[in-house]
Structure formats: structure tokens, C-alpha cells
Amino acid sequence: MADSHEAQDPEAQVSEAQIAVHWREEEYYPPPPSFVAQANANDPAIFNRFAEDKFPGCFKEYADLLDWDAPWHTTLDISNPPFWKWFVGGRLNASYNCVDRHAAANPDKTAIIFVPELESDEHVAISYSQLHEQVNEFAALLRDSLGLQAGDRVTLHMPMVPELPVTMLACARLGVIHSQVFGGFSGAACGHRIADSGSRFLITMDGYYRGGQLTDHKIKADEAVAAARQEGQEVEKVLIWRRRPGQYASQAPMIQGRDMFVDELIARHQGQAVEPVSMPAEAPLFLMYTSGTTGRPKGCQHSTGGYLAYVTGTSRYYQDIHPDDVYWCMADIGWITGHSYIVYGPLALGTTTVVYEGVPNYPDGGRPWRIAEKLGVNIFHTSPTAIRMLRKVGPEEPKKYNYHFKHMTTVGEPIEPEVWRWYHSEVGKGEAAIVDTWWQTENGGFLGSTLPALQPMKPGSCGPGVLGVYPVIYDEDGNEVPKGSGKAGNICIRNPWPGIFQTIWGQPERFVDTYYRKYNRNPDSADWRDWPYFAGDGAVQAADGYFRILGRVDDVINVAGHRLGTKEIESAALTVPEVAEAAAVPVIDDIRGRVVEMYVALKPGFQPSTEMEGKVSKAIETEIGKIARPKNVWIVLDMPKTRSGKIMRRVIASISNFADVGDVTTLANPEIVEDIRHHVQTAKVAKDDVPRQLTEAEFEEIKKFGSE
Amino acid sequence: MARAGGPAMGMTRQYLAGELSVLLGHLQAATTTEASGRDAWSLRQAAESEPVTALGSVTIRALALTERLCWDSLNRGDIAAFNRQAAVCAELHDFGVFAGLLKDG
């Protein structure tokens, strides 16, 4: 049953800026001397090497960690801002750098340890020479059986198994752009991404273990192919790895002529070698899709040279990876963390990386620590969500096991100081240096973190910008928010860095609009200083230069200085049992800046009434506070929606502000727009509640509202 | 009543969309009618395609759906279905709290 949660005092709700002011400064934790002594970056001279006056040449230090087929002639090409190009003229192959050079130098060294979810199944160690063989054979299959070549896109929908990095590296060997979709996503979500990337091939698996159950995964491939077809993209072949070769774990039938088992096909390519294709540094390596879209998925395109150099450098200095370490990042390779810090970064450094199939609490909360003990893991990397869960289900478990981490990472979301302290004292046994990292799918690698041997840890803060990356906080008007002011703002990066994504696949205008337009000083400028990167997170910077990340800043309505998240308001409205859908939009108000108007659609069988409007208003006031009380609650028959079902908030925001709604012909239900407009604007005219003519800036704000 | 988490829990959090999608897949499998299956499916689509800031709202709606399913199963005396649905509900709730999508109380 849905649990009961106590309502907080509505007046206790405060804006992000106030939260920042009220947060107490946490104490510093120095890294252990034993860690400092062995760290890759333990000489403070490194800060000078990456000082701002050394930009962009400082990143040669990262690129020099790789083997290049041809040297670059231009470190950073800024001729077409903000489409930055790194290491132009250079040529390399990512697969060669992650596999071949280590297989040649140290063939028996373990590259990947696969830990199946079932504890009764023994773990599997794959050496660099075995990885080399597997990658070559699969690359041969892709090239010779499917005809794939450099620049083609292939969608992967695979679980956490070693066949996933093998597949990625085989693609990279050929210059084929891989697009891995998180294995837990539905077939439909995979299909949308297939269609967007124009993939003609899907690589998947028949099944995998999660929570102790063998999950039928191939069935999703059929859904994905159907969803892609609906969007006009035909999938020609589906390659299916079998979780246990020779045994089929799915109930879904194989489709004759389309579906093929990898373990049968690959027999034809046994022992075959494929020369790595020498790729330009700026050639795309992979696509990684993110949500936060207006219906069309957002495929972040990452480069070969810049990306690989950046994740290798940050793995060396911030993860402190040495070749003899056993490194375990508990993320899923389906996300950017897994790409950068399970596969490409660790393997480029020739270390041993652990791939765990299942959930961390199966069969109990001691599982991660048993794995760490058994494998001798000494670097551990996970998210605050997993830390909170492990702390809840087994707070005493870590001390039962004899493992020792020298280094730990937290990634993906801000971590509360009390959770950080448990991670440090219980999981790390007080022996490990911790990095609390801030970055995003779009960024390739870390943007904010302490350098573990040289900068002390501070619970709840990610630290300063990483080497060669210069963050800044801007207010809404583009003024810099000084450090130590206690004021929150939008965290941006002043300079390009090699790991930054190149564009949104097939949507270059959206790339510029979303990430660079907001604080661009001159659209004609070819000076990178005029193109700060807008990360979309709120943050506050302490006097010591450490950043504390607050959260996403999009979809916020600023009412009299209080930044109200629209999703929070909508969630509050949805606590009214009769409400089926809710959307909060801003209306220009001369006194309070913006006020909230609420649109709700009721479940079948319920009728609009002033009582219902009152219930919605009261729910929002109770859940969030009086500041969020909507000026009007409009009960509508339906919301204007895209064909994928997303509510078009910009359309209803325009109606509330008496602004042009723009083109609505592509909506799933364009006829509803005129009904809503008539209903709302007639009522507002009758109440003498018509907002004044919008300024150009206000019109732009309304037009873009909810577009990301 | 469950409540969405506050603004201090942000950043990219793409993986939370993934985990929520998996749990909504479990919810879909635990439905007993075509209509509730469609409701679970649309929630899963929302988790996979809407901004991560919407995940709190999706979680709350999913919990409301599981509560409805549980009551329906109890009313029908279908204990097996109730047990499956209650297990999904517990998973969703715990995940929501650990991920900061719900405020615990």
C-alpha cells in the first residue's frame, strides 16, 4: 500500500538560495597518508600544469596517456563555436588503446572480472589477451557478416555482462558508433533510440539475472523493432548473445532471417583478426541518450580522441587507477558513468575492472562487501542512492568482511553529509580517500571533484572544478555570483574541455539552444570565453572554492524570489485523488515576477467544480507552502500533448499569458488547444485578469517553457 | 500520502529513470486487468521519456496505482495477486525514498 508520509510545515519550505545560506559548513577530512604516498597525482605542481594560462595545451598530458596513429596539429579548434574540436589532425583507435596495447605488453593480466548475480555461479576472469581475441572475433562478425563500417550506428540493448564491453570495443575497433540503451528500459524506449540514431542493427541478449530471477530480455527486442518501425526505421538484423551459450533463455520466438545467435555466428570468425581502423580524433565514438526531452530523445554524441583522453586522464588522477588495482564501479554500463568509468577509462589504463550483473542487495546487503573481499577490490565507485540503500539494509555489514578500499567515489547526485560519513567510516573503514564527483551525461567525465591526494574532502560538497575545468556560478542575468556569498545560481563551465559532447545527434540547433544560448555573450564570437556551458544544475560556491550542487534548474517558476520546481507543484496537485494529470505554468506578474497557474485534467467520472479547484489549490499549499498557491486552477478536459504523450507546457503557458501558442499542428490533439484557450481566456477577461503585453524576453521565456 | 522529494536532490540522475523503469515493469507484470496494465505502461513510458525532475511525480502516481491494485485484489480475495502487488509497492516505496524521489515520514 502507498505509505503514509508526514506533511512538513508548509512555512518551513524555503528557496534554494535560502537553503544554501542555512547550510552549515562541514569539516574537512584529509586523505590518509598511505593513500597520498602512492597516488598518481600527489605533487601540487600538477595544479600549475593545468592552470588557466596553460589552457588548452594542458590537456596534452591526458592525450599523451594514449597511443596515437598520427599526432594532432591543433589542440582545440574553435572555428565553429560551440562545436569544439579537440586534437584535430590526430588519429587513433579506442579499441586499440583499451585492448591491444595491454594485450601485447601484459597478455595474462586480467582485464575484466565478471561477477554473475547468482552466488552459486563462479566469477569469470577475462585476460587482456582473451579480451583481444573476443573483440577481434566479434568485430569480424560485425564487419564481414553484417557489412558494418566506420560511421554506421548500432544500437545495443544489453545487460551487465562482459559481452557488453566486448561489443562496444568491437564497434570502436571498426569506427562504428555504438548506442547502448540501459538494459532495464522497455523495448519501446529502445525502439525510439534506434529510430533516432538510424540504426539498422540491434544487438541484445536473451536473458539475464536480476533479483535472483532470469529475466526474459529478448522479448524486448521484438517490441523495440516494432517501435522503431512505427517511426520509419527498419531493423534489418537482431544479434542475440545468449546468457549461457547453447541455451535459449527467452520465450520469444526467433524471427527467421532477422534474428541470429551470436554464439552460432561467431564460430565462422574464430581466430580472425581485425586491424583497428585509424579514426580521426573528432570521429564520434558513441551516442548516449538522455531523457529531459520534448518527445524526441536526446542523443549525446561523444568523440573518439577528446573523450578517450579525458576519461583516461580523469581515471588516472581522480580515480587514482594503477594497472595493478582491482577497480569496481557498481554503475550500469548503460549510463555514461559505466561507459567512462567501467569500460573506457579503466581499460585504457590497463587495469582490472569488475562487471557485476545484478542488484547490489541480492541476496542481501552484504553482497557488495563479499565481492570486494573475494576479488580484492581496492577502488570502489557507486551512487548515493545505492549507498543509502546499503546503509538501510545492512548498516553493520561492511565490517564483517575483510576488504580494504584505498579510494571510493560517489557519483550522480548530491550526497547528504550524514550519508557521506557512513560511507567514509563504515564502507571505507576510515581508510579511503573519497571523491564526490559532479558531472553529467553530456560532459564525458568529471567536472567537479577534489583531487584525492591533494585536496581535503568535505562532506556534501563535490569540491572545486577538476584540472583544466573552470566552473562559475551565474545568476539569471548573467552576473557572476561570488564564492562565499552563500547565494545559489546556475553552475556553468567557462571553458571547453576534451570530454564535452560534440552535439545532440541530428539536432545541432537544440545543442546550441540548450547548453550555450543562455549565457552566450555574442553569437558571432569565435572566442570560447563568450560561450560558457550551461549545465542546468543549481549550485552554491563556498569561500574555499568548493561547490555544493543543489539540483536541476530547469522547469522552475520564480515567485517573488522563491524558486519553485514545477514537478513538485504538479506532484502536490496529483495527491488529490480525482486528478489524473497536472501541469504548472508561470504567468507574468508585475508585483511578484511570476505566479503559478495550474492546469489539471480529472479522472473519468469526475466533474469540474469550484470545490475541486479549491482542493487542488489547498493540496499545493499544504504540500509546498503558501508561496506556491496557484493564482488560478483550470480544470480542462485534456492537456495538449505530443504524440509521445508529453504535456506541452509552453502551449498552456502561452494561453495563460495571452501569447501566441505557436505551431500546434503536430500535436496529438491540436483541437484541444482552442477549447482551452477559449475557456481560460474568456474567464480571465471576465475577471479582469489579463496580463499586460509581454516584453520580448518574457515572450521568449514563455515560448520555451517546459521545452527541456 | 507520499510526497515528492525536494529541490536539493538533483543533478543528472539518469540511472534513477532506469531503475524506476525496471520497477514499473514489475508493476506492469503484477497488474490483473488490461486497464491497469495500460496505466502501468504509461507510467513506465513517462519514467523513460520525461525529464528526471518528473520522476518523483511518476513514483507517487505508481504508488497510488499499486494501492488501487492491492485493494482490488483484496476485494476479490486474490491473495496471490495482492502479494505480488504489495511486494512491488514496497520496492517502489523503498526505491523512491533511497533515491530522494519521495520524502520519508
Side-chain angles (χ1 to χ4, degrees):
Chain A
M1 302 277 173
D3 206 354
S4 167
H5 294 249
E6 286 178 19
Q8 291 185 345
D9 171 7
E11 296 310 305
Q13 298 291 327
V14 289
S15 71
E16 285 176 12
Q18 288 168 301
I19 289 167
V21 169
H22 293 153
W23 270 338
R24 101 180 150 83
E25 273 295 294
E26 297 289 333
E27 60 187 312
Y28 292 112
Y29 287 65
S34 57
F35 175 81
V36 175
Q38 61 79 62
N40 285 324
N42 59 8
D43 179 352
I46 197 169
F47 294 119
N48 186 45
R49 298 204 300 275
F50 282 87
E52 198 166 348
D53 63 349
K54 309 288 195 310
F55 177 86
C58 57
F59 285 112
K60 179 177 184 297
E61 185 162 334
Y62 285 179
D64 282 346
L65 296 169
L66 305 176
D67 286 357
W68 293 77
D69 302 327
W72 60 94
H73 53 69
T74 304
T75 303
L76 173 61
D77 177 349
I78 56 170
S79 60
N80 182 26
F83 299 92
W84 318 117
K85 291 180 180 171
W86 283 87
F87 308 120
V88 180
R91 299 186 80 92
L92 75 166
N93 183 277
S95 174
Y96 176 86
N97 274 282
C98 292
V99 184
D100 296 48
R101 59 182 185 155
H102 309 306
N106 209 350
D108 297 329
K109 165 105 176 83
T110 300
I112 295 172
I113 302 176
F114 171 58
V115 181
E117 194 191 58
L118 300 182
E119 281 194 287
S120 53
D121 288 353
E122 196 52 49
H123 68 260
V124 179
I126 300 168
S127 69
Y128 272 97
S129 69
Q130 289 169 324
L131 182 62
H132 183 261
E133 184 180 302
Q134 292 176 23
V135 168
N136 270 274
E137 289 177 354
F138 195 64
L141 185 161
L142 296 177
R143 184 189 63 186
D144 301 339
S145 293
L146 299 187
L148 282 164
Q149 54 188 351
D152 289 339
R153 280 81 60 207
V154 172
T155 297
L156 286 49
H157 193 202
M158 294 183 64
M160 282 290 286
V161 289
E163 290 83 354
L164 174 51
V166 166
T167 303
M168 291 163 63
L169 292 163
C171 289
R173 196 166 192 84
L174 300 171
V176 169
I177 303 166
H178 59 76
S179 170
Q180 156 72 2
V181 178
F182 170 62
F185 265 174
S186 67
C190 179
H192 298 318
R193 287 152 176 78
I194 290 172
D196 190 77
S197 64
S199 297
R200 293 178 294 125
F201 302 99
L202 171 63
I203 303 174
T204 186
M205 187 164 248
D206 59 346
Y208 63 97
Y209 288 92
R210 186 185 160 102
Q213 303 293 319
L214 183 60
T215 303
D216 188 337
H217 189 60
K218 195 274 176 179
I219 195 167
K220 292 183 191 171
D222 301 330
E223 295 165 6
V225 170
R229 183 176 294 135
Q230 276 196 327
E231 296 184 32
Q233 180 64 36
E234 282 299 325
V235 174
E236 295 171 19
K237 300 285 182 204
V238 178
L239 292 190
I240 300 146
W241 290 92
R242 285 194 273 199
R243 175 64 179 76
R244 297 184 194 277
Q247 301 172 32
Y248 187 41
S250 172
Q251 300 298 314
M254 295 287 281
I255 306 297
Q256 189 76 28
R258 188 199 72 181
D259 297 349
M260 296 177 288
F261 290 126
V262 172
D263 55 296
E264 290 177 357
L265 269 184
I266 209 157
R268 298 182 207 162
H269 303 281
Q270 202 168 12
Q272 212 170 326
V274 173
E275 190 66 21
V277 177
S278 186
M279 298 298 294
E282 66 269 29
L285 178 61
F286 65 85
L287 304 179
M288 171 63 66
Y289 280 89
T290 72
S291 55
T293 73
T294 52
R296 187 174 172 189
K298 197 161 64 176
C300 298
Q301 176 185 314
H302 284 281
S303 71
T304 303
Y307 168 83
L308 193 62
Y310 196 70
V311 299
T312 306
T314 50
S315 292
R316 178 171 164 77
Y317 291 146
Y318 285 91
Q319 299 288 277
D320 197 52
I321 291 176
H322 298 63
D324 54 353
D325 288 325
V326 179
Y327 168 88
W328 182 17
C329 173
M330 215 166 62
D332 193 290
I333 297 173
W335 309 118
I336 190 70
T337 295
H339 273 50
S340 299
Y341 298 115
I342 296 177
V343 179
Y344 284 112
L347 292 179
L349 290 172
T351 197
T352 300
T353 185
V354 175
V355 173
Y356 173 54
E357 181 179 33
V359 293
N361 59 341
Y362 181 81
D364 57 64
R367 185 70 191 280
W369 324 128
R370 285 198 293 282
I371 292 172
E373 178 184 78
K374 186 171 184 183
L375 303 183
V377 172
N378 65 340
I379 305 180
F380 184 68
H381 186 149
T382 193
S383 68
T385 293
I387 297 168
R388 290 183 207 110
M389 184 266 289
L390 291 167
R391 179 183 181 222
K392 178 82 181 287
V393 301
E396 305 295 322
E397 288 294 315
K399 59 170 64 97
K400 297 178 185 170
Y401 299 95
N402 183 25
Y403 67 84
H404 296 279
F405 296 149
K406 68 166 185 175
H407 180 290
M408 303 195 302
T409 299
T410 166
V411 65
E413 56 193 288
I415 185 167
E416 303 87 338
E418 88 226 38
V419 180
W420 187 97
R421 279 188 275 274
W422 181 80
Y423 192 46
H424 177 260
S425 64
E426 300 301 317
V427 176
K429 305 178 181 183
E431 302 168 340
I434 296 179
V435 290
D436 176 355
T437 58
W438 168 70
W439 61 299
Q440 303 162 332
T441 303
E442 294 87 338
N443 309 148
F446 305 139
L447 292 183
S449 171
T450 51
L451 195 54
L454 295 172
Q455 292 166 325
M457 306 165 255
K458 190 164 77 169
S461 296
C462 69
V466 297
L467 294 167
V469 167
Y470 300 99
V472 62
I473 295 179
Y474 290 127
D475 67 15
E476 283 298 317
D477 300 321
N479 302 308
E480 190 169 332
V481 177
K483 65 180 179 183
S485 68
K487 289 185 180 161
N490 300 323
I491 189 166
C492 298
I493 308 297
R494 287 195 284 116
N495 61 307
W497 65 98
I500 181 66
F501 73 137
Q502 298 175 295
T503 187
I504 299 173
W505 179 260
Q507 304 177 73
E509 301 84 9
R510 188 176 178 196
F511 169 73
V512 179
D513 286 347
T514 305
Y515 300 98
Y516 292 97
R517 190 75 75 202
K518 188 174 179 75
Y519 291 117
N520 172 239
R521 298 184 186 97
N522 174 7
D524 298 323
S525 172
D527 184 343
W528 57 261
R529 293 167 190 82
D530 289 329
W531 294 88
Y533 170 81
F534 173 63
D537 275 334
V540 62
Q541 189 179 24
D544 59 11
Y546 282 30
F547 290 94
R548 193 160 190 165
I549 305 299
L550 302 175
R552 299 299 292 186
V553 295
D554 37 23
D555 290 331
V556 164
I557 301 175
N558 194 331
V559 180
H562 292 254
R563 294 164 60 82
L564 303 172
T566 53
K567 296 302 166 195
E568 279 190 281
I569 302 170
E570 291 163 9
S571 296
L574 287 163
T575 62
V576 176
E578 297 88 344
V579 171
E581 290 180 308
V585 297
V587 175
I588 306 297
D589 183 276
D590 278 336
I591 296 167
R592 294 197 284 171
R594 306 287 179 272
V595 292
V596 176
E597 286 203 355
M598 203 71 214
Y599 284 73
V600 296
L602 302 179
K603 291 175 183 169
F606 295 103
Q607 297 302 316
S609 66
T610 50
E611 289 74 24
M612 192 68 76
E613 292 170 8
K615 273 177 89 168
V616 171
S617 199
K618 180 70 184 165
I620 294 168
E621 192 179 322
T622 303
E623 293 287 317
I624 299 174
K626 284 180 185 161
I627 190 71
R629 183 194 294 154
K631 185 174 188 187
N632 290 301
V633 175
W634 304 110
I635 299 177
V636 295
L637 282 176
D638 195 6
M639 303 280 189
K641 288 176 188 155
T642 63
R643 287 183 183 138
S644 66
K646 180 179 163 58
I647 297 172
M648 290 298 285
R649 288 171 175 78
R650 70 164 174 79
V651 172
I652 48 182
S654 297
I655 290 171
S656 277
N657 286 280
F658 285 68
D660 179 11
V661 297
D663 181 12
V664 296
T665 55
T666 58
L667 297 183
N669 53 351
E671 69 288 349
I672 200 73
V673 176
E674 184 52 29
D675 288 350
I676 296 173
R677 194 193 65 76
H678 179 74
H679 167 55
V680 169
Q681 293 186 350
T682 303
K684 290 184 104 168
V685 168
K687 291 200 289 184
D688 195 19
D689 185 19
V690 180
R692 61 165 167 73
Q693 181 87 27
L694 306 189
T695 65
E696 197 173 324
E698 288 166 347
F699 178 70
E700 284 300 311
E701 175 193 326
I702 295 301
K703 203 169 72 173
K704 286 183 178 166
F705 184 75
S707 63
E708 282 304 321
Chain B
M1 186 65 72
R3 302 179 61 229
M9 301 307 302
M11 279 169 76
T12 298
R13 304 194 301 172
Q14 290 293 320
Y15 58 95
L16 299 183
E19 292 304 311
L20 185 55
S21 165
V22 171
L23 296 180
L24 292 170
H26 296 174
L27 173 58
Q28 199 183 349
T31 57
T32 46
T33 65
E34 202 176 308
S36 58
R38 272 199 307 273
D39 288 348
W41 170 241
S42 67
L43 286 169
R44 191 174 191 190
Q45 278 199 307
E48 291 174 344
S49 62
E50 289 196 9
V52 288
T53 46
L55 295 181
S57 158
V58 173
T59 310
I60 288 172
R61 283 146 64 196
L63 285 170
L65 175 59
T66 50
E67 181 169 353
R68 206 173 72 226
L69 292 172
C70 285
W71 279 115
D72 287 349
S73 297
L74 277 182
N75 289 336
R76 285 184 287 104
D78 187 344
I79 302 304
F82 173 84
N83 286 340
R84 284 198 307 275
Q85 291 152 355
V88 173
C89 189
E91 276 189 303
L92 273 169
H93 172 265
D94 286 350
F95 170 74
V97 171
F98 294 141
L101 300 173
L102 301 175
K103 287 196 169 85
D104 205 1

